[in-house]
Amino acid sequence: MTHEARDADRAARRPAKDPRPLWRQRDFGVFWAAQTLSVLGDSFALIALPLLVLEATGSIARMGLLTAVGGAAAVLAAVFAGAVVDRVDRRKLLIGCDLVRMGVYGLVPVVWLFGPQIWLLYVVLPLCEAVGMLFAVGYVTVVRSLVGTEQLTEANGRLNATAAAAGVLGPLCAGVVAAWSGPATAIGVDAASFGVSAACVAFVRFRSRPADDAPATGKRPGLWQDLRTGVVFLYGHPVLRSLTVLLCGFSFLTLGLNDLVIYHLKHDLGRDDGTVGTVMAVGALGTITGALLVARARRLLGFGPTWTGSVAVCGLAFAGLGRVSEVPAVALLSAAFLACVGMAGTCSMSLRQEVTPEHLLGRVTSAFWTLQYSVAPIGAAVLTWAAEHHGTTPVALAAGAGCVLIATVALLTPIRGAGRVRNPSSTDIG
């Protein structure tokens, strides 16, 4: 028996529920480190790539075009990511995604030794954004292979908390490295972080997943049938159906929040960039706090009250953002909003992992994200346009009221009675 076969055999025989606390579970701990490093790498790219464009061209428009191309690639990849994830070995996929990003990002500092080549960035970023989406969907699907159902919310909370911390630390470190030796070097550090992440995932043992839904003839369904499968599952599950519809509206209202906060601080309050950075850092601390508290809140209250309450508090915080004129108040409301966004998001992700059959999890996750964010960019454009023409106060109030309305509507859906899942293959989540 080969080493790989022995690992697979041992993983398959591991109990579905590990009674040990998460911090004592080796495989989860290694995977946790890998995911944190991956997010840290993404955060480096977030600031280093735009700095490269600005350094080489001085054009904010060129920087915006690069961001738009990368975002479009991620949305396109999200449509197909679930079908791909459910068709391949997920461990190999995660390792492959990290290695591809290591290699592609690593090209940038090498090429830059011979002079700036802006065209390369318009190839690198879309490719890495698309691969990053594959990694993100794959990562969601494997968490259940590491921890028992009872620990899913806690595991997701910890993963999201460290991801938020990496999201703060990454841009800060990238700024320091870029100031010291240039943005191209920061991209090199980014590439190295993906290499370390791939090495970590290689040492993780995932439980083998059950057989997929291929017919007895062995012929797999077509790609478009795979895509349709995720949507059909969401539609057929009463709670997930309601969540998908309501989160679509929530994303429409809230994706432009950061832009609104920045506009309020800079335009309405006349603050500098340093103040904007401080407020964003405090907001990220709110994300970390929410991620750490969500497991306890869900155990005490159940899924329905936790999700609905989080969305309602998001609305109240959003409504207040346009009215306050003191920077500490803006920072605290931003932190409250992001903490509750983190709690609601972790709850919904944990629920999908609990109720979705293992072989469908990639397709369902991909379908959920695609539908949830389908109209969000339009919402962000509408929100910021309205704030520029009518001011932040009425726009924030209207968007906040819309969030509270979504929480109220949730009380009229199966979300209200949803509690903790006892059987991951069951649709009875009361």
Side-chain angles (χ1 to χ4, degrees), residues 59-304:
S59 170
I60 295 178
R62 296 285 294 274
M63 181 187 68
L65 178 61
L66 178 64
T67 301
V69 170
V75 171
L76 181 62
V79 176
F80 300 96
V84 174
V85 167
D86 285 339
R87 285 168 173 260
V88 302
D89 182 288
R90 293 169 182 172
R91 178 187 180 190
K92 292 179 181 178
L93 176 69
L94 295 180
I95 295 173
C97 287
D98 276 337
L99 290 178
V100 168
R101 288 185 287 180
M102 179 186 71
V104 174
Y105 276 132
L107 287 173
V108 175
V110 174
V111 171
W112 244 250
L113 291 175
F114 304 96
Q117 299 291 334
I118 296 300
W119 66 266
L120 179 63
L121 301 183
Y122 289 90
V123 176
V124 166
L125 185 60
L127 178 58
C128 288
E129 286 290 303
V131 172
M133 178 57 67
L134 281 174
F135 184 96
V137 175
Y139 137 72
V140 170
T141 67
V142 300
V143 175
R144 199 169 73 184
S145 300
L146 292 170
V147 302
T149 302
E150 297 293 325
Q151 294 178 308
L152 265 175
T153 302
E154 181 184 359
N156 287 326
R158 294 193 178 200
L159 287 165
N160 290 343
T162 52
V168 175
L169 183 62
L172 292 176
C173 292
V176 171
V177 173
W180 176 53
S181 57
T185 303
I187 295 296
V189 175
D190 178 15
S193 74
F194 289 118
V196 178
S197 174
C200 290
V201 175
F203 287 97
V204 178
R205 297 166 297 179
F206 299 111
R207 284 191 297 271
S208 58
R209 54 182 176 177
D212 62 16
D213 52 356
T217 61
K219 184 179 180 180
R220 298 228 30 156
L223 179 60
W224 290 109
Q225 180 62 33
D226 273 346
L227 297 176
R228 181 176 176 273
T229 299
V231 177
V232 169
F233 184 87
L234 290 173
Y235 182 80
H237 192 287
V239 177
L240 291 183
R241 180 173 64 241
S242 301
L243 276 175
T244 304
V245 173
L246 293 179
L247 280 173
C248 184
F250 183 79
S251 298
F252 178 89
L253 292 170
T254 61
L255 187 62
L257 174 83
N258 282 347
D259 294 332
L260 195 70
V261 170
I262 293 171
Y263 184 79
H264 184 52
L265 289 169
K266 297 279 290 182
H267 180 267
D268 299 341
L269 305 184
R271 302 294 180 167
D272 58 16
D273 292 345
T275 302
V276 172
T278 301
V279 169
M280 294 300 168
V282 174
L285 292 177
T287 302
I288 297 170
T289 302
L292 294 175
L293 292 177
V294 62
R296 178 175 298 181
R298 188 180 174 187
R299 281 195 299 268
L300 291 175
L301 304 175
F303 173 85

